[in-house]
Amino acid sequence: MVTLTPAEHAALERLEERERPIRRGATIQRENDRASEMFVVRKGVLMSSMLLDDGSRQILRFLFPGDVVALSSLVYRETPETLSALSDGIVAPFERAALSETINAHPRLAALLLVYSQIERAALTDRLAALGRTSAKARVAAVLIDMRNRLRAGDKSITDTFTIGLTQEEIGDATGLTAVHVNRMLRQIEEEGLIARENGRVTFTNERGLLRAANYVDRYEGLDLSWLPAAH
């Protein structure tokens, strides 16, 4: 997306100096905890979620290696979301002071954080619209496409086949559907020849048709970064 200078690379590496192993199912940050640390995802897949008044869970987004998460800790005393591990992995925690030093020394990195936050905002807007206005089939198809695209961004060997790594309950919590309804939609998408499933792996057999079914927009495409400050 943007070529970083050696100094910018070094600054980001300093943010990631500490590593914290995580296990699938572990809670890294709980909603309404005291806000303190932020994290870079080094390995594995995380999810951001919140509990609703009826006790149900709404998954807000899935998080992948390279993502900077819990940036809300910059502006709130208490965390507005729960972060949990969907797989074994590694996160790199850092604190406000470390980010403040990085931004002060490297303003272009601050601009890139703004870019990242706006990509996430647009993607969350898409998911909000989908929850209210698209079919169950479209919502499930969109999750499949988004997972493949984000996993492929970190592993160029991924093409049409990938390990989804999500339970049907987790897909349901991201799409506002029950696990039973998710199962029905996955079977329908498969019967229509859009995907094939085997041993936890999904293959896109008709990607163009799946994209049409999902009304999916890749918010990591079509970026205009011509305004970014020049590198120093």
Side-chain angles (χ1 to χ4, degrees):
M1 188 165 66
V2 173
T3 300
L4 300 180
T5 66
E8 288 169 337
H9 270 296
L12 292 179
E13 286 172 1
R14 284 193 293 274
L15 285 182
E16 299 179 41
E17 282 178 341
R18 291 189 294 150
E19 290 189 348
R20 184 180 298 169
I22 51 174
R23 292 296 227 175
R24 174 176 168 84
T27 298
I28 301 157
Q29 168 187 286
R30 199 175 301 279
E31 188 178 350
N32 297 322
D33 278 354
R34 178 181 172 274
S36 56
E37 292 179 319
M38 290 151 280
F39 308 89
V40 178
V41 183
R42 296 292 302 273
K43 182 180 178 182
V45 180
L46 279 59
M47 68 176 179
S48 161
S49 66
M50 58 190 307
L51 284 178
L52 306 180
D53 288 343
D54 63 0
S56 61
R57 178 181 66 180
Q58 177 66 54
I59 294 177
L60 305 171
R61 54 190 173 141
F62 299 109
L63 305 156
F64 298 85
D67 284 347
V68 183
V69 300
L71 283 175
S72 55
S73 291
L74 282 172
V75 294
Y76 290 107
R77 287 189 297 271
E78 296 179 346
T79 57
E81 59 189 354
T82 295
L83 297 175
S84 308
L86 287 170
S87 69
D88 293 350
I90 298 171
V91 296
F94 61 93
E95 297 180 351
R96 288 185 178 100
L99 185 59
S100 178
E101 290 173 8
T102 301
I103 289 172
N104 186 53
H106 303 281
R108 198 168 70 131
L109 292 181
L112 288 173
L113 283 176
L114 174 62
V115 168
Y116 175 78
S117 68
Q118 289 308 300
I119 292 171
E120 283 296 299
R121 185 202 63 79
L124 280 170
T125 300
D126 290 341
R127 285 193 281 279
L128 176 62
L131 286 172
R133 295 296 180 182
T134 65
S135 67
K137 174 184 166 184
R139 289 181 241 169
V140 172
V143 167
L144 297 177
I145 294 167
D146 192 53
M147 287 292 295
R148 193 285 305 268
N149 287 357
R150 297 298 312 281
L151 290 169
R152 186 167 62 180
D155 182 355
K156 300 303 182 185
S157 69
I158 294 174
T159 54
D160 297 326
T161 300
F162 64 103
T163 300
I164 187 166
L166 299 175
T167 67
Q168 291 180 2
E169 181 182 5
E170 288 162 350
I171 296 174
D173 287 347
T175 55
L177 304 170
T178 65
V180 171
H181 205 165
V182 169
N183 181 270
R184 190 179 304 129
M185 291 302 101
L186 286 170
R187 282 191 283 109
Q188 180 179 335
I189 293 169
E190 189 169 22
E191 288 165 1
E192 291 176 2
L194 303 179
I195 64 170
R197 293 183 292 161
E198 185 177 8
N199 297 326
R201 292 178 67 78
V202 174
T203 299
F204 291 175
T205 49
N206 181 355
E207 186 169 344
R208 184 173 297 179
L210 191 65
L211 286 165
R212 282 197 302 269
N215 300 310
Y216 180 77
V217 178
D218 187 347
R219 292 300 182 182
Y220 284 84
E221 293 185 347
L223 302 177
D224 178 4
L225 305 182
S226 61
W227 58 272
L228 283 173
H232 297 291

